[in-house]
Amino acid sequence: MTSVPAAPTLYQPVLYPSRRASRGNGSVILRGSSSRPVEPIRPLLDLGAGESSVGGTGLPMPLHPVFDQAAPRNVSSLANSAAYLHCLVHNLGNKSVSWIRQRDLHIMTVGRYTYTTDQRFEVIHSADSQDWILKISYAQMKDSGVYECQVSTKPVRTYQVYLNVFASPMASIVGAPDMHVDKGSTINLTCVVTHSPDPPSYVFWYHNGEVVNYDSPRGGITVVTERGDNTRGYLLIQDAQPSDTGNYSCVPSNTAFTSLTVHVLNGETPAAMQTSGGASVFTPPGSLLTSLPRPLQHHHILPLLLLLTLLLLWKPPILSSVGVDGGGGGGL
Protein backbone atom coordinates (compact mmCIF):
# COMPACT_ATOMS: atom_id res chain seq x y z
CA MET A 1 0.00 0.00 0.00
CA THR A 2 1.37 3.39 -0.95
CA SER A 3 1.52 5.91 1.88
CA VAL A 4 -0.25 9.24 1.54
CA PRO A 5 2.14 12.16 0.99
CA ALA A 6 2.52 14.47 3.93
CA ALA A 7 -0.12 17.18 3.98
CA PRO A 8 -0.31 20.48 5.84
CA THR A 9 -2.46 20.61 8.96
CA LEU A 10 -5.98 21.51 7.87
CA TYR A 11 -6.62 24.21 10.42
CA GLN A 12 -3.36 26.08 9.98
CA PRO A 13 -2.92 28.79 7.33
CA VAL A 14 -0.94 27.85 4.24
CA LEU A 15 2.00 30.25 3.92
CA TYR A 16 3.65 31.37 0.72
CA PRO A 17 7.38 30.92 0.27
CA SER A 18 9.25 34.03 1.31
CA ARG A 19 10.54 34.60 -2.22
CA ARG A 20 10.65 32.90 -5.59
CA ALA A 21 12.44 34.53 -8.48
CA SER A 22 12.79 33.62 -12.14
CA ARG A 23 14.89 35.86 -14.33
CA GLY A 24 15.33 33.74 -17.43
CA ASN A 25 12.63 35.59 -19.39
CA GLY A 26 13.11 39.01 -17.87
CA SER A 27 10.30 38.53 -15.37
CA VAL A 28 10.17 37.85 -11.68
CA ILE A 29 7.48 36.65 -9.29
CA LEU A 30 7.96 37.69 -5.69
CA ARG A 31 5.78 36.58 -2.83
CA GLY A 32 5.90 36.77 0.92
CA SER A 33 4.99 38.70 4.00
CA SER A 34 5.62 42.44 3.77
CA SER A 35 7.67 42.20 6.96
CA ARG A 36 10.28 39.90 5.40
CA PRO A 37 13.43 41.41 3.87
CA VAL A 38 14.25 41.03 0.18
CA GLU A 39 17.71 40.46 -1.22
CA PRO A 40 19.20 42.76 -3.88
CA ILE A 41 19.49 41.28 -7.35
CA ARG A 42 22.95 40.32 -8.50
CA PRO A 43 24.13 42.60 -11.32
CA LEU A 44 24.98 41.30 -14.77
CA LEU A 45 27.54 44.06 -15.28
CA ASP A 46 30.87 44.07 -13.43
CA LEU A 47 32.04 47.66 -13.45
CA GLY A 48 35.32 48.05 -11.65
CA ALA A 49 37.20 51.26 -10.87
CA GLY A 50 38.62 52.76 -14.06
CA GLU A 51 37.33 50.10 -16.45
CA SER A 52 34.24 48.11 -17.29
CA SER A 53 34.04 44.42 -17.95
CA VAL A 54 30.91 43.07 -19.62
CA GLY A 55 31.48 39.40 -20.17
CA GLY A 56 35.21 40.01 -19.99
CA THR A 57 35.28 42.59 -22.80
CA GLY A 58 37.06 45.23 -20.71
CA LEU A 59 35.04 48.18 -22.04
CA PRO A 60 36.01 51.68 -20.86
CA MET A 61 34.23 53.03 -17.79
CA PRO A 62 31.13 55.00 -18.91
CA LEU A 63 30.90 58.65 -17.94
CA HIS A 64 27.18 58.39 -17.12
CA PRO A 65 24.96 56.13 -14.99
CA VAL A 66 24.15 52.76 -16.55
CA PHE A 67 21.10 50.58 -15.87
CA ASP A 68 21.77 46.89 -15.32
CA GLN A 69 19.43 44.66 -17.33
CA ALA A 70 19.40 42.08 -14.51
CA ALA A 71 16.49 44.01 -12.99
CA PRO A 72 13.25 42.29 -14.15
CA ARG A 73 11.00 44.42 -16.33
CA ASN A 74 7.90 42.37 -15.47
CA VAL A 75 6.95 41.66 -11.88
CA SER A 76 3.93 39.70 -10.67
CA SER A 77 2.58 39.61 -7.15
CA LEU A 78 -0.47 38.35 -5.30
CA ALA A 79 -2.89 40.78 -3.73
CA ASN A 80 -2.13 41.55 -0.08
CA SER A 81 1.46 40.33 -0.49
CA ALA A 82 4.54 42.51 -0.81
CA ALA A 83 5.73 43.46 -4.31
CA TYR A 84 9.37 44.38 -5.03
CA LEU A 85 10.49 46.38 -8.07
CA HIS A 86 14.23 46.42 -8.72
CA CYS A 87 16.39 49.06 -10.38
CA LEU A 88 20.15 48.47 -10.64
CA VAL A 89 22.23 51.54 -11.47
CA HIS A 90 26.01 51.56 -12.01
CA ASN A 91 28.23 54.64 -11.89
CA LEU A 92 25.54 56.70 -10.18
CA GLY A 93 27.97 59.29 -8.85
CA ASN A 94 26.18 62.24 -7.25
CA LYS A 95 22.93 61.61 -9.12
CA SER A 96 19.73 60.48 -7.40
CA VAL A 97 17.35 57.61 -8.15
CA SER A 98 13.58 58.16 -8.14
CA TRP A 99 10.57 55.90 -8.63
CA ILE A 100 7.65 57.36 -10.62
CA ARG A 101 4.20 55.83 -11.09
CA GLN A 102 3.53 56.36 -14.79
CA ARG A 103 -0.29 56.42 -14.82
CA ASP A 104 -0.44 59.68 -12.85
CA LEU A 105 3.27 60.69 -12.94
CA HIS A 106 3.26 60.60 -9.16
CA ILE A 107 6.71 60.66 -7.53
CA MET A 108 6.83 57.73 -5.12
CA THR A 109 10.40 57.97 -3.82
CA VAL A 110 13.53 60.09 -4.31
CA GLY A 111 16.73 58.56 -3.01
CA ARG A 112 15.90 57.05 0.37
CA TYR A 113 12.90 59.34 0.94
CA THR A 114 9.24 58.54 0.29
CA TYR A 115 7.17 61.23 -1.45
CA THR A 116 3.70 59.72 -1.12
CA THR A 117 1.23 59.61 1.74
CA ASP A 118 0.56 55.97 0.94
CA GLN A 119 2.63 54.30 3.64
CA ARG A 120 2.71 51.00 1.72
CA PHE A 121 5.46 52.43 -0.52
CA GLU A 122 9.11 52.60 0.53
CA VAL A 123 12.55 52.25 -1.01
CA ILE A 124 15.11 49.67 0.08
CA HIS A 125 18.79 50.36 -0.61
CA SER A 126 22.08 49.57 1.05
CA ALA A 127 25.32 51.50 0.55
CA ASP A 128 27.16 48.48 -0.89
CA SER A 129 24.50 47.71 -3.49
CA GLN A 130 23.51 49.18 -6.86
CA ASP A 131 19.92 47.95 -6.38
CA TRP A 132 17.22 50.51 -5.57
CA ILE A 133 14.16 48.46 -4.61
CA LEU A 134 10.66 49.90 -4.54
CA LYS A 135 8.67 47.90 -2.00
CA ILE A 136 4.85 47.94 -2.04
CA SER A 137 3.46 46.36 1.10
CA TYR A 138 0.09 44.63 0.77
CA ALA A 139 -0.07 45.27 -2.98
CA GLN A 140 -3.55 45.70 -4.49
CA MET A 141 -4.82 45.09 -8.01
CA LYS A 142 -5.11 48.87 -8.45
CA ASP A 143 -1.31 49.09 -8.04
CA SER A 144 -0.81 47.26 -11.35
CA GLY A 145 0.87 49.29 -14.07
CA VAL A 146 4.17 50.78 -15.21
CA TYR A 147 6.68 52.24 -12.75
CA GLU A 148 9.73 54.21 -13.89
CA CYS A 149 13.08 54.20 -12.21
CA GLN A 150 14.64 57.59 -13.06
CA VAL A 151 18.16 58.87 -12.67
CA SER A 152 18.54 62.65 -12.37
CA THR A 153 20.74 63.14 -15.40
CA LYS A 154 20.08 65.65 -18.21
CA PRO A 155 18.19 64.35 -20.00
CA VAL A 156 16.63 62.02 -17.42
CA ARG A 157 17.42 58.33 -17.88
CA THR A 158 14.59 55.89 -17.18
CA TYR A 159 14.11 52.18 -16.66
CA GLN A 160 10.53 50.89 -16.84
CA VAL A 161 9.12 48.02 -14.77
CA TYR A 162 5.61 46.63 -15.21
CA LEU A 163 3.82 45.37 -12.11
CA ASN A 164 0.89 42.97 -12.38
CA VAL A 165 -1.00 42.28 -9.15
CA PHE A 166 -3.25 39.21 -9.26
CA ALA A 167 -6.29 38.72 -7.09
CA SER A 168 -5.64 36.35 -4.23
CA PRO A 169 -6.27 32.71 -5.13
CA MET A 170 -9.65 31.39 -4.06
CA ALA A 171 -10.95 27.84 -3.73
CA SER A 172 -14.58 26.74 -3.90
CA ILE A 173 -16.34 23.37 -4.01
CA VAL A 174 -19.15 23.03 -6.54
CA GLY A 175 -22.48 22.48 -4.78
CA ALA A 176 -21.42 23.86 -1.39
CA PRO A 177 -22.45 24.12 1.39
CA ASP A 178 -24.43 20.83 1.31
CA MET A 179 -24.70 17.87 -1.01
CA HIS A 180 -27.23 15.01 -0.69
CA VAL A 181 -26.50 11.66 -2.34
CA ASP A 182 -28.23 8.28 -2.16
CA LYS A 183 -26.59 5.30 -0.56
CA GLY A 184 -24.77 3.23 -3.14
CA SER A 185 -24.34 6.12 -5.58
CA THR A 186 -21.09 7.99 -6.38
CA ILE A 187 -19.98 11.06 -4.45
CA ASN A 188 -18.50 13.47 -7.01
CA LEU A 189 -16.80 16.55 -5.51
CA THR A 190 -15.12 19.25 -7.61
CA CYS A 191 -12.85 21.92 -6.12
CA VAL A 192 -12.02 24.92 -8.35
CA VAL A 193 -9.00 27.16 -7.62
CA THR A 194 -9.20 30.55 -9.37
CA HIS A 195 -7.19 33.81 -9.45
CA SER A 196 -3.88 31.97 -9.18
CA PRO A 197 -0.91 33.12 -11.30
CA ASP A 198 0.59 29.65 -10.89
CA PRO A 199 -1.30 26.37 -10.39
CA PRO A 200 -1.14 25.01 -6.83
CA SER A 201 1.55 22.41 -6.33
CA TYR A 202 -1.01 20.11 -4.70
CA VAL A 203 -4.71 19.86 -3.79
CA PHE A 204 -5.46 17.67 -0.77
CA TRP A 205 -8.87 16.40 0.33
CA TYR A 206 -9.92 15.88 3.95
CA HIS A 207 -12.88 14.00 5.43
CA ASN A 208 -13.80 15.11 8.96
CA GLY A 209 -10.27 16.46 9.45
CA GLU A 210 -8.46 13.36 8.17
CA VAL A 211 -6.62 13.18 4.85
CA VAL A 212 -8.60 11.18 2.27
CA ASN A 213 -6.49 8.15 1.38
CA TYR A 214 -7.28 6.87 -2.09
CA ASP A 215 -5.29 3.71 -1.26
CA SER A 216 -7.36 2.93 1.84
CA PRO A 217 -8.87 -0.58 2.29
CA ARG A 218 -12.30 0.92 1.58
CA GLY A 219 -11.42 1.24 -2.10
CA GLY A 220 -13.40 3.04 -4.75
CA ILE A 221 -11.74 6.42 -4.07
CA THR A 222 -10.24 8.43 -6.94
CA VAL A 223 -8.40 11.75 -6.66
CA VAL A 224 -7.60 13.71 -9.83
CA THR A 225 -6.07 17.19 -10.22
CA GLU A 226 -6.20 19.14 -13.50
CA ARG A 227 -3.83 22.11 -13.35
CA GLY A 228 -4.33 25.19 -15.50
CA ASP A 229 -5.53 28.78 -15.35
CA ASN A 230 -8.37 27.44 -13.19
CA THR A 231 -7.13 24.33 -11.41
CA ARG A 232 -9.74 21.64 -10.69
CA GLY A 233 -9.41 18.93 -8.09
CA TYR A 234 -11.80 15.98 -8.25
CA LEU A 235 -12.73 13.52 -5.49
CA LEU A 236 -14.81 10.49 -6.55
CA ILE A 237 -16.12 8.05 -3.93
CA GLN A 238 -18.00 5.07 -5.32
CA ASP A 239 -20.73 3.10 -3.52
CA ALA A 240 -21.47 5.84 -0.98
CA GLN A 241 -22.16 4.56 2.55
CA PRO A 242 -23.54 6.32 5.66
CA SER A 243 -19.98 6.35 7.02
CA ASP A 244 -19.05 8.66 4.13
CA THR A 245 -21.33 11.35 5.54
CA GLY A 246 -19.54 14.36 6.96
CA ASN A 247 -17.39 17.40 6.23
CA TYR A 248 -15.15 17.37 3.14
CA SER A 249 -12.45 20.03 2.74
CA CYS A 250 -10.39 20.98 -0.30
CA VAL A 251 -6.93 22.25 0.70
CA PRO A 252 -4.84 23.77 -2.14
CA SER A 253 -1.21 24.68 -1.52
CA ASN A 254 -1.64 28.36 -2.35
CA THR A 255 -4.85 29.47 -0.62
CA ALA A 256 -7.19 28.80 2.29
CA PHE A 257 -9.24 25.63 2.39
CA THR A 258 -12.95 25.40 1.60
CA SER A 259 -15.50 22.87 2.84
CA LEU A 260 -18.75 21.11 1.98
CA THR A 261 -21.02 18.76 3.97
CA VAL A 262 -22.09 15.50 2.33
CA HIS A 263 -25.24 13.70 3.48
CA VAL A 264 -25.58 10.06 2.42
CA LEU A 265 -29.31 9.17 2.43
CA ASN A 266 -30.55 5.67 3.09
CA GLY A 267 -33.78 6.01 1.09
CA GLU A 268 -35.08 8.96 3.11
CA THR A 269 -35.75 12.46 1.83
CA PRO A 270 -33.77 15.41 3.22
CA ALA A 271 -35.50 17.05 6.23
CA ALA A 272 -37.29 20.25 5.02
CA MET A 273 -37.36 19.20 1.40
CA GLN A 274 -39.79 17.09 -0.62
CA THR A 275 -39.29 16.53 -4.34
CA SER A 276 -41.69 15.86 -7.18
CA GLY A 277 -40.48 15.55 -10.76
CA GLY A 278 -37.27 17.42 -9.96
CA ALA A 279 -39.08 20.38 -8.36
CA SER A 280 -38.45 21.26 -4.72
CA VAL A 281 -41.30 22.16 -2.36
CA PHE A 282 -40.61 23.61 1.08
CA THR A 283 -42.71 21.87 3.76
CA PRO A 284 -42.63 23.48 7.20
CA PRO A 285 -43.29 21.14 10.13
CA GLY A 286 -46.98 20.65 10.92
CA SER A 287 -48.15 21.90 7.51
CA LEU A 288 -51.10 20.36 5.68
CA LEU A 289 -48.76 18.72 3.17
CA THR A 290 -46.72 16.87 5.80
CA SER A 291 -49.94 15.62 7.44
CA LEU A 292 -51.07 13.93 4.21
CA PRO A 293 -50.45 10.21 3.69
CA ARG A 294 -46.87 9.66 2.41
CA PRO A 295 -47.93 8.48 -1.10
CA LEU A 296 -49.85 11.72 -1.57
CA GLN A 297 -46.78 13.75 -0.62
CA HIS A 298 -44.96 12.58 -3.73
CA HIS A 299 -47.68 12.49 -6.41
CA HIS A 300 -49.89 15.24 -7.76
CA ILE A 301 -48.91 17.66 -5.00
CA LEU A 302 -49.58 20.89 -6.84
CA PRO A 303 -53.06 19.94 -8.21
CA LEU A 304 -54.10 18.78 -4.75
CA LEU A 305 -52.95 22.02 -3.12
CA LEU A 306 -54.83 24.02 -5.76
CA LEU A 307 -58.04 22.03 -5.17
CA LEU A 308 -57.84 22.47 -1.38
CA THR A 309 -57.27 26.20 -1.81
CA LEU A 310 -60.32 26.56 -4.06
CA LEU A 311 -62.48 24.64 -1.58
CA LEU A 312 -61.41 26.93 1.26
CA LEU A 313 -62.07 30.10 -0.74
CA TRP A 314 -65.38 29.01 -2.34
CA LYS A 315 -68.59 30.47 -0.84
CA PRO A 316 -72.08 29.14 -1.81
CA PRO A 317 -74.53 31.73 -3.28
CA ILE A 318 -77.06 33.26 -0.85
CA LEU A 319 -80.74 32.41 -1.74
CA SER A 320 -83.00 35.46 -1.89
CA SER A 321 -86.19 35.55 0.19
CA VAL A 322 -89.41 34.39 -1.58
CA GLY A 323 -91.73 36.07 0.92
CA VAL A 324 -93.25 32.86 2.31
CA ASP A 325 -94.39 33.27 5.92
CA GLY A 326 -95.02 30.58 8.40
CA GLY A 327 -98.83 30.65 7.95
CA GLY A 328 -98.86 30.33 4.20
CA GLY A 329 -101.37 33.27 3.78
CA GLY A 330 -101.17 36.81 2.44
CA GLY A 331 -101.75 36.19 -1.30
CA LEU A 332 -102.65 38.76 -3.91
Side-chain angles (χ1 to χ4, degrees):
M1 180 182 298
T2 304
S3 60
V4 178
T9 303
L10 176 59
Y11 301 105
Q12 292 181 351
V14 179
L15 301 178
Y16 296 115
S18 60
R19 186 167 183 258
R20 182 174 73 83
S22 174
R23 306 186 189 95
N25 58 356
S27 64
V28 63
I29 297 177
L30 299 172
R31 301 175 183 163
S33 168
S34 60
S35 62
R36 294 183 178 181
V38 61
E39 297 178 1
I41 288 182
R42 193 172 192 177
L44 291 177
L45 299 178
D46 182 14
L47 303 183
E51 63 177 6
S52 168
S53 175
V54 183
T57 57
L59 297 176
M61 182 65 157
L63 300 178
H64 53 74
V66 175
F67 290 110
D68 197 309
Q69 298 297 321
R73 290 187 177 271
N74 292 281
V75 175
S76 297
S77 179
L78 295 176
N80 297 316
S81 296
Y84 301 94
L85 281 61
H86 295 260
C87 180
L88 279 73
V89 186
H90 297 275
N91 195 31
L92 183 60
N94 61 354
K95 307 300 181 182
S96 62
V97 175
S98 305
W99 279 101
I100 312 294
R101 186 169 56 199
Q102 192 182 72
R103 75 165 184 262
D104 54 6
L105 300 181
H106 189 90
I107 300 175
M108 313 308 293
T109 63
V110 176
R112 297 291 302 274
Y113 299 96
T114 302
Y115 277 78
T116 175
T117 57
D118 192 336
Q119 298 181 358
R120 298 178 302 124
F121 289 82
E122 63 175 309
V123 68
I124 300 174
H125 177 72
S126 58
D128 58 347
S129 170
Q130 293 83 28
D131 197 357
W132 296 80
I133 308 169
L134 178 64
K135 175 183 176 182
I136 308 174
S137 302
Y138 309 105
Q140 304 298 315
M141 294 180 68
K142 66 179 181 180
D143 296 321
S144 298
V146 176
Y147 293 79
E148 285 189 354
C149 174
Q150 294 187 354
V151 176
S152 60
T153 55
K154 294 184 180 180
V156 173
R157 296 176 180 272
T158 64
Y159 190 88
Q160 292 188 342
V161 179
Y162 181 80
L163 172 65
N164 190 10
V165 181
F166 293 91
S168 297
M170 180 179 64
S172 60
I173 300 178
V174 177
D178 292 277
M179 175 179 289
H180 298 84
V181 298
D182 293 327
K183 179 182 176 181
S185 62
T186 299
I187 301 174
N188 187 348
L189 302 182
T190 302
C191 178
V192 183
V193 182
T194 57
H195 305 307
S196 179
D198 293 316
S201 57
Y202 60 79
V203 176
F204 286 112
W205 287 93
Y206 286 76
H207 177 217
N208 293 333
E210 299 291 334
V211 178
V212 174
N213 183 359
Y214 50 85
D215 286 337
S216 67
R218 181 203 184 284
I221 298 177
T222 304
V223 177
V224 178
T225 301
E226 294 181 353
R227 292 177 174 82
D229 293 338
N230 291 332
T231 295
R232 294 178 179 269
Y234 300 96
L235 173 62
L236 302 177
I237 304 177
Q238 299 177 2
D239 190 21
Q241 300 298 316
S243 59
D244 296 321
T245 294
N247 179 273
Y248 287 82
S249 297
C250 167
V251 186
S253 63
N254 60 348
T255 187
F257 68 89
T258 183
S259 299
L260 169 144
T261 301
V262 172
H263 307 270
V264 179
L265 308 177
N266 191 12
E268 69 272 15
T269 305
M273 191 74 65
Q274 304 293 336
T275 60
S276 175
S280 298
V281 180
F282 177 70
T283 56
S287 67
L288 175 63
L289 184 57
T290 55
S291 65
L292 293 174
R294 187 170 184 83
L296 293 179
Q297 295 183 23
H298 294 275
H299 302 283
H300 311 295
I301 294 177
L302 295 181
L304 180 59
L305 288 177
L306 179 60
L307 177 59
L308 291 176
T309 303
L310 292 176
L311 289 175
L312 292 174
L313 297 178
W314 180 74
K315 295 181 180 180
I318 301 176
L319 296 176
S320 57
S321 175
V322 295
V324 179
D325 57 19
L332 291 176

